[in-house]
Amino acid sequence: LAQVHSNSYLSRQACEKGLAAVNEWLRIEPDDAIALSRRAAFFHMIGRAWRSAQAPIETECYFARALNLRQALMGNPAVDEEKPGKSASDVAESLEALLRFDEALELRAKVHQGHGRKWDHLDAWCQTCFNAAEKSTHYEKKKGYLLQAAEMSSQLHGENTISRPVLVRWMKILHELGDLEVNHKNTDGALRAAEEIGKVSRKLAT
């Protein structure tokens, strides 16, 4: 319920209700890893709601609380039983929320490589890479993120040709790469991006 509310106040209210239920669970089973994982998830969602409300102090506070809990749970078999690599993926999500992108990307890579190179782990890694690019103001670093995200997009599409969200994100990545190269007067790079945009456009049209 908390995830579908666009109103940040209503979202926080929904999260607080969920958090109260988890706290009751933890009162009965204080060390239950799944309950602690749920508490961290609610902290993270409350942080997102505060971010939507443009309240940076509260945002950082809740994201940090989620990160601390998730780091304590990383590698916990009960959490990873729900989904292989979940505990580390959760930490990466929290690091990304706090704009600690290099740490998040390093962890995304480890999750992908350590859990059978699953498609959904690569997809999450690609999204983090694109998010890092959007926040970066340094030309070389931003370009590196975008090129890596574009390469991952090609791999994701090769493994799942019917995923439209992958193609849509790939187009956004290439457009941002093209704009970056134009702004830095790199004609060759801009032309390469335009050529790739044409190829992905044709995939989207079919």
Side-chain angles (χ1 to χ4, degrees), residues 44-59:
H44 186 81
M45 285 189 284
I46 293 171
R48 284 168 47 186
W50 278 118
R51 184 173 59 190
S52 297
Q54 298 182 334
I57 294 173
E58 292 84 352
T59 298

Side-chain angles (χ1 to χ4, degrees), residues 14-29:
C15 286
E16 292 293 350
K17 289 178 182 178
L19 198 53
V22 170
N23 287 340
E24 181 61 22
W25 180 358
L26 285 166
R27 188 184 66 80
I28 299 166
E29 298 181 81

Side-chain angles (χ1 to χ4, degrees), residues 29-96:
E29 298 181 81
D31 298 320
D32 189 282
I34 299 301
L36 290 168
S37 178
R38 297 289 187 273
R39 174 184 275 177
F42 279 118
F43 284 160
H44 186 81
M45 285 189 284
I46 293 171
R48 284 168 47 186
W50 278 118
R51 184 173 59 190
S52 297
Q54 298 182 334
I57 294 173
E58 292 84 352
T59 298
E60 185 167 351
C61 174
Y62 275 96
F63 281 155
R65 291 174 76 181
L67 175 61
N68 288 339
L69 262 179
R70 286 171 163 180
Q71 285 177 322
L73 290 167
M74 191 160 70
N76 187 289
V79 178
D80 285 332
E81 189 176 357
E82 288 190 288
K83 180 181 178 182
K86 175 175 167 38
S87 64
S89 294
D90 286 346
V91 174
E93 180 183 54
S94 287
L95 288 168
E96 182 178 343

Side-chain angles (χ1 to χ4, degrees), residues 20-180:
V22 170
N23 287 340
E24 181 61 22
W25 180 358
L26 285 166
R27 188 184 66 80
I28 299 166
E29 298 181 81
D31 298 320
D32 189 282
I34 299 301
L36 290 168
S37 178
R38 297 289 187 273
R39 174 184 275 177
F42 279 118
F43 284 160
H44 186 81
M45 285 189 284
I46 293 171
R48 284 168 47 186
W50 278 118
R51 184 173 59 190
S52 297
Q54 298 182 334
I57 294 173
E58 292 84 352
T59 298
E60 185 167 351
C61 174
Y62 275 96
F63 281 155
R65 291 174 76 181
L67 175 61
N68 288 339
L69 262 179
R70 286 171 163 180
Q71 285 177 322
L73 290 167
M74 191 160 70
N76 187 289
V79 178
D80 285 332
E81 189 176 357
E82 288 190 288
K83 180 181 178 182
K86 175 175 167 38
S87 64
S89 294
D90 286 346
V91 174
E93 180 183 54
S94 287
L95 288 168
E96 182 178 343
L98 289 164
L99 307 183
R100 292 163 60 176
F101 287 109
D102 288 341
E103 293 170 82
L105 286 166
E106 183 179 354
L107 203 47
R108 292 285 190 202
K110 287 179 179 178
V111 171
H112 176 60
Q113 293 158 6
H115 294 277
R117 297 181 177 272
K118 294 183 182 296
W119 189 92
D120 57 333
H121 290 153
L122 180 61
D123 185 54
W125 186 9
C126 180
Q127 184 63 54
T128 299
C129 210
F130 183 39
N131 293 343
E134 289 191 304
K135 293 293 184 181
S136 178
T137 57
H138 186 274
Y139 169 68
E140 291 294 346
K141 197 158 192 176
K142 188 181 190 78
K143 181 177 178 178
Y145 287 142
L146 290 169
L147 288 171
Q148 187 178 8
E151 184 179 342
M152 290 178 187
S153 297
S154 178
Q155 184 178 342
L156 286 163
H157 178 67
E159 295 177 14
N160 182 358
T161 58
I162 63 172
S163 176
R164 193 167 184 83
V166 165
L167 289 172
V168 170
R169 183 181 58 204
W170 194 0
M171 281 289 285
K172 291 177 182 177
I173 292 165
L174 293 171
H175 275 293
E176 190 152 339
L177 180 59
D179 289 345
L180 180 70

